[in-house]
Amino acid sequence: MSVVDYKGGAPHPEGRRGRARDRDAHPHAGAHHLVEAWVERAPDGVAVTHEGGSLSYGELNGRAARLARRLVRAGVQPEARVGICLERGPELVVCMLAVLKAGAAFVPLDPAYPAERLEHMVRDAGVRVALTSAALAGVVKRAGARALRVEETGWHEWMKGHDTSAATAPESLAYVIYTSGSTGRPKGVGVTHRGLCNTARSLGEMLAVGAGSRFLQFASPSFDAAVCEVFVALASGAQVHLAGRESLLPGPGLVRLLDDREITHAILPPSALAVLPEAELPALGTLIVAGEACAPELVRRWAPGRRFVNAYGPTETAICATAAACRPDGRTPPIGAAIDGATAHVLDASLIPATEGELFVGGEGVARGYLGRPALTAERFVPDPFSAAPGARMYRTGDRVRARAGGALEFIGRLDEQVKVRGHRVEPGEVADALAAHPALAHAAVAAREDVPGGMRLVAYAVARAGGRVPAAGELRAFLARSLPGYMIPSAFVALDALPLSPNGKVDRRALPAPPSTRPALAAAYVAPRTDAERRVAAAWAAVLGIEEIGAEDGFFELGGHSLAATQVVSRLRHDHGVEVPLAAVLGGATVAQVARAA
């Protein structure tokens, strides 16, 4: 059995192991050195494009060098963790590069996250200094870090003096990304320069990214996909294209952005691509889907006429581990074979190679481990018996895969409770622990359900304390919003007398009931839609959210709505009724009546 390469061509010579580079086959460089090579080669080439203009490679490097020197003067030492708390914009890219030039590692801090979560991340990562803006400095200070405001560092001024670039070792820490944790707290994954460099080089070559490419920066800065977008582009001499949050919501606005900017490369989660209006987009020659399972229908709709790649990789393997070029053949798209520099092993419970089993990823992208969690690191990062490199390790992904005839790997499912919801990695246990902390609840459980095809969502189940009652969904949602980011808040809440248990005393998830399709208990009294416009909006919400009865004064998010659902509502109103509703009107937390007035 062998694993085909990402093009679906000849099998890898090392079979299921993929093709791991010799660890010393490339110069020992940091990820910033890959960018600096393009600064020397094409200093006037466009590096970053945003709504307010662009930066050349020379300008980007100069500003990053100036900020790096400011970080060093502020006491930032090699391998120190430096927070970056900024909205999307050129400053974000400058700060990423500056932190690496100073020899430190960056920790993305999403300003949209609840203060409690940010405070945990800052403390857990040992962040002492965070780069931020004047508007967000308070967020950083409340989290316990020193706020270094980019407006006051002179980062925006062109630097004509000497460059600043740390002589980073391959095993030095490049960044720390926080992922959902099964123990109730997010955990920090430390990724090295070796891993980031390998991903940047391998994907750049595989996706044919070059000086004429325009790479969209779509992912939230808190996710490793954003790191991938930035460094794959900049390590290849391409342009990183930035846009505002609303322009990136899947819908007509994103299609216009892709078309107007003539984007050539984009990475989108399948759930976002599924709700994107069909368009020709002639410049978009390469489309990569990642973050969750890809349906054959998406390949049928979007693969013709372009390179369509289904990519796979946990945060712990430097973003990407395997990939497959897909064609519209009606079959479930495979996740392919190991990218260059990585290995993929399918092993059974005894860690013996098998055709079907758990996927273990080795090679240059394997992360250092989890910050401050040696036991968990030892459990998930194990010695690699297939490698001759001293100290080589594999990451056990927890994903069950099957090797198809010809070798391409097919994702089957998880071996644990971890789920992917709208492209986000979620440990239901973390959400359940946060919910169970509500003083009115005795027990809680959370599961991912797909009661409507393509509509994967989190559902929470709550049991009240003796003599009490389960609070309304709106109250529980607001309680969770204090500690969890929006993508981790369940779409539906179900009150139970008791959680169903299996014989071993654990929650029997198969026995958890589907949430009712009726209107959930909310603080607002039910008011029937009064006008034709209200009835059209209520009907669209009902169809998208799977709720039978929606009132005129009900709010979109109180009913379990989210950004992707909002784009579906707007598309449905346009398609079924010829009514144009601003996406911002739905995302603003408006009621049915308010959205109807905006139509």
Side-chain angles (χ1 to χ4, degrees):
M1 188 66 65
S2 59
V3 175
V4 297
D5 66 15
Y6 74 96
K7 295 179 181 177
H12 286 329
E14 295 185 8
R16 270 192 296 271
R17 294 191 294 170
R19 298 177 292 189
R21 282 195 185 101
D22 182 332
R23 286 175 177 254
D24 297 315
H26 293 273
H28 286 180
H32 51 296
H33 297 140
L34 299 180
V35 182
E36 290 163 3
W38 278 96
V39 174
E40 295 180 4
R41 186 172 174 180
D44 297 326
V46 176
V48 178
T49 297
H50 52 100
E51 292 165 342
S54 63
L55 290 177
S56 69
Y57 271 86
E59 290 170 328
L60 170 65
N61 189 64
R63 296 178 184 188
R66 188 180 185 91
L67 182 53
R69 290 205 301 273
R70 178 70 180 88
L71 287 170
V72 173
R73 288 198 301 271
V76 170
Q77 300 290 321
E79 290 234 349
R81 270 81 76 184
V82 175
I84 299 179
C85 186
L86 291 167
E87 298 288 355
R88 282 187 179 88
E91 307 98 316
L92 183 67
V93 181
V94 170
C95 288
M96 285 182 176
L97 192 57
V99 172
L100 299 187
K101 280 176 167 288
F106 60 84
V107 183
L109 302 170
D110 192 333
Y113 278 6
E116 182 179 322
R117 194 173 189 85
L118 289 174
E119 289 168 9
H120 167 77
M121 293 163 64
V122 166
R123 289 194 304 269
D124 189 70
V127 172
R128 297 178 182 274
V129 175
L131 295 166
T132 187
S133 64
L136 297 171
V139 175
V140 168
K141 291 176 181 177
R142 286 192 296 272
R146 175 187 173 189
L148 195 64
R149 298 191 294 185
V150 293
E151 298 96 338
E152 298 178 352
T153 61
W155 72 273
H156 56 284
E157 298 175 13
W158 171 244
M159 186 215 65
K160 296 182 179 179
H162 66 278
D163 198 355
T164 298
S165 184
T168 309
E171 300 307 325
S172 295
L173 202 61
Y175 63 89
V176 176
I177 293 284
Y178 275 80
T179 67
S180 182
S182 58
T183 59
R185 286 288 189 176
K187 56 184 182 290
V189 181
V191 178
T192 65
H193 279 271
R194 183 188 296 279
L196 179 53
C197 286
N198 183 74
T199 297
R201 284 188 294 241
S202 295
L203 291 188
E205 294 168 3
M206 183 180 76
L207 302 175
V209 184
S213 302
R214 296 164 175 252
F215 214 119
L216 179 67
Q217 201 285 288
F218 174 84
S220 164
S222 288
F223 295 95
D224 58 357
V227 180
C228 177
E229 292 160 341
V230 169
F231 283 93
V232 168
L234 296 182
S236 303
Q239 301 175 22
V240 178
H241 276 254
L242 301 163
R245 190 185 298 267
E246 187 170 332
S247 298
L248 294 171
L249 289 172
L254 178 55
V255 170
R256 284 194 297 273
L257 176 68
L258 293 168
D259 200 26
D260 292 346
R261 300 269 196 103
E262 297 183 317
I263 299 298
T264 62
H265 294 72
I267 302 175
L268 299 174
S271 55
L273 190 61
V275 300
L276 200 67
E278 291 194 39
E280 290 187 10
L281 301 176
L284 187 61
T286 300
L287 183 58
I288 308 100
V289 292
E292 57 192 340
C294 179
E297 171 63 14
L298 292 181
V299 183
R300 184 194 67 78
R301 287 174 54 198
W302 292 98
R306 60 173 55 94
R307 180 191 291 110
F308 187 102
V309 177
N310 188 28
Y312 161 91
T315 301
E316 292 86 346
T317 61
I319 310 160
C320 185
T322 70
C326 301
R327 300 174 181 84
D329 57 8
R331 300 182 65 190
T332 298
I335 61 172
I339 66 169
D340 215 12
T343 62
H345 311 271
V346 184
L347 307 179
D348 64 16
S350 300
L351 303 188
I352 296 174
T355 300
E356 182 174 320
E358 183 175 3
L359 176 59
F360 288 68
V361 174
E364 297 186 13
V366 177
R368 182 182 290 183
Y370 300 113
L371 260 62
R373 301 193 182 187
L376 183 60
T377 297
E379 175 188 336
R380 305 302 300 180
F381 296 85
V382 298
D384 186 350
F386 305 100
S387 174
R393 297 172 305 147
M394 303 182 295
Y395 172 68
R396 54 185 320 157
T397 65
D399 288 324
R400 189 168 186 82
V401 299
R402 177 189 300 118
R404 292 178 175 178
L409 297 177
E410 178 183 348
F411 175 79
I412 299 174
R414 288 290 300 176
L415 295 170
D416 56 19
E417 298 176 0
Q418 185 189 112
V419 296
K420 288 292 186 72
V421 179
R422 302 191 299 278
H424 301 305
R425 172 171 160 178
V426 177
E427 294 281 0
E430 181 180 357
V431 185
D433 286 351
L435 182 60
H438 191 289
L441 301 183
H443 305 288
V446 173
R449 299 183 62 96
E450 192 173 7
D451 299 307
V452 178
M456 182 69 73
R457 60 175 177 165
L458 289 177
V459 178
Y461 300 86
V463 177
R465 290 188 179 275
R469 65 175 184 82
V470 174
E475 179 182 334
L476 295 178
R477 191 170 283 110
F479 177 78
L480 289 177
R482 301 174 193 169
S483 59
L484 299 179
Y487 69 87
M488 294 180 68
I489 296 177
S491 298
F493 294 82
V494 179
L496 298 176
D497 294 331
L499 295 177
L501 302 179
S502 62
N504 63 7
K506 295 185 177 181
V507 175
D508 185 353
R509 297 184 177 278
R510 290 176 297 182
L512 291 169
S517 59
T518 54
R519 178 176 177 270
L522 298 173
Y526 176 74
V527 177
R530 296 151 294 203
T531 66
D532 287 343
E534 289 181 358
R535 283 187 280 273
R536 284 193 292 267
V537 173
W541 288 20
V544 171
L545 300 177
I547 298 174
E548 293 175 357
E549 188 178 58
I550 293 178
E553 299 303 324
D554 290 344
F556 186 68
F557 292 107
E558 282 70 21
L559 294 173
H562 48 78
S563 59
L564 287 182
T567 64
Q568 291 176 290
V569 165
V570 172
S571 296
R572 183 172 288 270
L573 287 169
R574 180 187 305 108
H575 181 270
D576 293 350
H577 304 289
V579 175
E580 284 294 336
V581 173
L583 183 59
V586 183
L587 290 174
T591 64
V592 165
Q594 290 169 331
V595 172
R597 287 195 292 270

